[in-house]
Amino acid sequence: MAAADQLDQGRAVVETAAIRPPADRRRTVSLFSRLRTAQGQANPFPVYAELRSRGEVAAAPWGGYLLTGFDVCDRVLRSRDWLEPDSRWREQQGSGTRWTAPSSREMSRTLPALNPPEHTWVRRAAGMFDRSSLDQLRGPVARFTGRSLDTLAERLHDGEADFNALVSEELPVAVIGHWLGLPTADHARLRELTHDQVFTQELLPSASQLALSDAATAELRTYFTDLVRERRARPGDDPVSRWLAVWDTLESDRDKADEAVYFLALFVLLAALETTATLLSTMTLLLLDHPRQWQRLVLQPDLVPAAVEESLRYDPPTHVISRVSARDCVLGGVDIRKDEMVHLLVGAAHRDPARHPDPELFNLHRKPGHLAFSGGAHYCLGAPLARMEAQTLLHQLVTRFPRLTLVRRPTWAPRVAFRRLLNLDVTLV
Ligand code: HEM
């Protein structure tokens, strides 16, 4: 049985009884339960600090290891000795586990779940955002941002408004929908499906969350295979048509080429929506929570890129990245066997005092350095676009709404790996 399923069903304790004292294991299980409470979601960092106090590499109660140190996480991401949990690894975990759920099997065929050599050529074929394609998106991103801020302004006229719903959730789907050429009428449904699909990528999904993810994955498969079929029949000037043209040069079997493009289009949508929405809301929340930094940005908008980077460090959209060991090894003084999993607690690593002095301080003048977009071979291909969206939004925000303020504390969905704000209620003072 997979590690996550064990914890899910409250049986993690049995497997690891020989390794760690029961009180210690119970404390770790209860720490993770705290992460799912409203308070734990609002501020998971004390939990991370407690985990770090047990060493930068600590055994997880459900098997595998938790990594909280910045350097050790960075090393794992950059090393060839650590692999993605790919389809071979997932099958090995046995049937009936989260890793063999239909949604997990589907994810195992997407780019971030591939290992070399396949990963290398699929990534190369994906291309994604070079300077000229980014330049082409600059105008639309500014326009969509302006439009969502117009709606915000209208609502603020009457009092308060939910920034998360009106801006953060709208902008990423408008941008990626425009880029992929998806009908506007489909955007809301695709966004809902993404919220459900992401559960299969969570740290410890429950059976009901996996069922939601399986259903969303099936609907997304239909949507994107239809899209690929349409673009095959009527190619246009869009990424899906371009990927088809590239794959036709690499793969003589048309069905295989179509399937490769389907997996790419599916993953791009999944990768682009929640993560970017979370960044937009978190960044705004952090700045409203730090009025002096906000005022500084109002007077000095050239600090906008630094504010985006510090937000990505302070509370990144993705708090956990997982890898498995390619061979028996020693990491941070701990013996790890081939195929064992490590969870890189990126949110914790970003607050590692060995990397960042005064890590709890939200500081726009910090030396850069974060793992929000991962690192090494799987470094996020959408990072330039996510940065462009966040910087464009922040520029327009401080210019148009210098008196923006928070009405009440927001709430978060009870996740561990993928942060998600449920609201961000703001007004003007
Ligand atoms: C703030 C927004 C974003 C964050 C925090 C983020 C984060 C990440 C992370 C952590 C990974 C690596 C996972 C791993 O190492 O296993 C990743 C991979 C990836 N992301 Fe992003 N992402 C964001 C936005 C986007 C956008 C907008 C796109 C596309 C338009 C995108 C496309 C991808 C792709 C294709 C990969 C797979 C790369 C590979 O495995 O080689 N991401 N992202």
Side-chain angles (χ1 to χ4, degrees):
M1 174 175 283
D5 297 308
Q6 291 170 357
L7 189 80
D8 212 15
Q9 297 169 25
R11 275 187 268 144
V13 176
V14 180
E15 278 272 301
T16 49
I19 308 169
R20 312 181 64 207
D24 199 25
R25 280 196 317 271
R26 272 201 300 275
R27 270 218 336 265
T28 311
V29 171
S30 102
L31 275 179
F32 271 86
S33 310
R34 257 170 64 195
L35 277 182
R36 295 185 201 215
T37 62
Q39 203 187 354
Q41 286 297 312
N43 184 11
F45 301 100
V47 171
Y48 295 156
E50 203 170 326
L51 286 171
R52 189 181 307 105
S53 71
R54 296 163 192 205
E56 59 172 9
V57 180
W62 55 86
Y65 296 87
L66 302 167
L67 275 48
T68 49
F70 188 97
D71 282 347
V72 78
C73 288
D74 195 37
R75 253 184 290 136
V76 166
L77 288 174
R78 288 170 201 285
S79 161
R80 285 165 193 267
D81 290 339
W82 294 93
L83 300 175
E84 290 284 355
D86 57 14
S87 50
R88 175 201 65 86
W89 185 90
R90 291 178 200 226
E91 290 303 327
Q92 271 176 5
Q93 308 312 303
S95 58
T97 70
R98 66 165 290 191
W99 298 108
T100 47
S103 48
S104 175
R105 285 209 162 107
E106 198 79 350
M107 286 309 287
S108 75
R109 310 271 311 276
T110 62
L111 185 59
L114 303 179
N115 286 311
E118 197 183 356
H119 175 260
T120 315
W121 21 281
V122 174
R123 186 171 164 112
R124 203 169 292 149
M128 221 72 84
F129 301 110
D130 57 15
R131 188 175 285 273
S132 101
S133 59
L134 268 184
D135 282 345
Q136 281 176 21
L137 281 171
R138 220 169 282 283
V141 168
R143 216 170 45 246
F144 296 135
T145 307
R147 201 185 296 163
S148 65
L149 291 184
D150 289 345
T151 316
L152 183 75
E154 276 167 32
R155 295 288 173 85
L156 287 175
H157 193 68
D158 302 329
E160 63 181 66
D162 181 356
F163 186 92
N164 192 60
L166 297 175
V167 181
S168 307
E169 289 272 326
E170 287 298 324
L171 183 56
V173 76
V175 172
I176 214 71
H178 165 83
W179 187 60
L180 290 174
L182 310 178
T184 317
D186 299 345
H187 290 186
R189 182 67 187 144
L190 290 170
R191 197 174 45 204
E192 273 171 41
L193 289 170
T194 303
H195 288 316
D196 283 349
Q197 204 285 340
V198 91
F199 282 125
T200 200
Q201 304 170 62
E202 251 303 319
L203 183 62
L204 305 166
S206 68
S208 58
Q209 288 173 333
L210 273 182
L212 280 175
S213 190
D214 290 347
T217 306
E219 194 173 330
L220 286 165
R221 174 175 258 277
T222 305
Y223 185 89
F224 281 104
T225 44
D226 286 353
L227 181 80
V228 170
R229 199 172 307 123
E230 278 167 29
R231 300 286 158 91
R232 171 67 83 193
R234 278 177 296 282
D237 182 19
D238 62 274
V240 175
S241 303
R242 282 193 291 276
W243 288 329
L244 282 169
V246 171
W247 272 95
D248 284 347
T249 65
L250 302 172
E251 175 62 71
S252 52
D253 182 329
R254 275 277 166 100
D255 290 341
K256 284 191 181 157
D258 286 0
E259 184 149 273
V261 174
Y262 150 71
F263 279 118
L264 208 48
L266 167 74
F267 184 71
V268 162
L269 182 90
L270 295 174
L273 295 194
E274 269 204 6
T275 48
T276 313
T278 302
L279 169 61
L280 303 182
S281 273
T282 305
M283 167 184 86
T284 306
L285 172 65
L286 284 169
L287 286 160
L288 297 183
D289 271 348
H290 295 84
R292 279 191 15 219
Q293 316 272 22
W294 173 264
Q295 280 311 320
R296 196 173 275 175
L297 272 183
V298 169
L299 298 172
Q300 236 183 304
D302 55 314
L303 283 173
V304 159
V308 172
E309 296 313 304
E310 178 62 348
S311 302
L312 284 163
R313 179 197 73 87
Y314 201 81
D315 189 354
T318 309
H319 275 209
V320 185
I321 299 175
S322 300
R323 292 286 188 270
V324 294
S325 179
R327 55 186 60 84
D328 292 354
C329 67
V330 178
L331 186 70
V334 175
D335 286 320
I336 298 183
R337 289 189 306 257
K338 179 178 183 313
D339 282 337
E340 278 194 300
M341 182 169 259
V342 293
H343 301 293
L344 285 60
L345 301 187
V346 172
H350 287 183
R351 303 281 186 109
D352 180 352
R355 170 69 188 208
H356 289 293
D358 287 331
E360 309 303 328
L361 212 66
F362 183 71
N363 174 4
L364 305 192
H365 298 286
R366 199 175 274 290
K367 259 195 14 220
H370 63 70
L371 305 171
F373 293 120
S374 189
H378 290 274
Y379 184 80
C380 174
L381 283 172
L385 180 60
R387 284 188 163 113
M388 184 200 282
E389 288 181 47
Q391 292 177 10
T392 307
L393 173 63
L394 196 49
H395 258 291
Q396 293 197 19
L397 203 58
V398 292
T399 314
R400 287 183 64 177
F401 302 92
R403 294 183 299 109
L404 199 70
T405 186
L406 200 64
V407 175
R408 62 185 65 82
R409 300 311 302 166
T411 48
W412 279 261
R415 315 268 199 84
V416 176
F418 290 86
R419 303 277 278 158
R420 183 186 169 202
L421 276 99
L422 297 175
N423 66 311
L424 186 63
D425 300 325
V426 293
T427 192
L428 295 176
V429 282

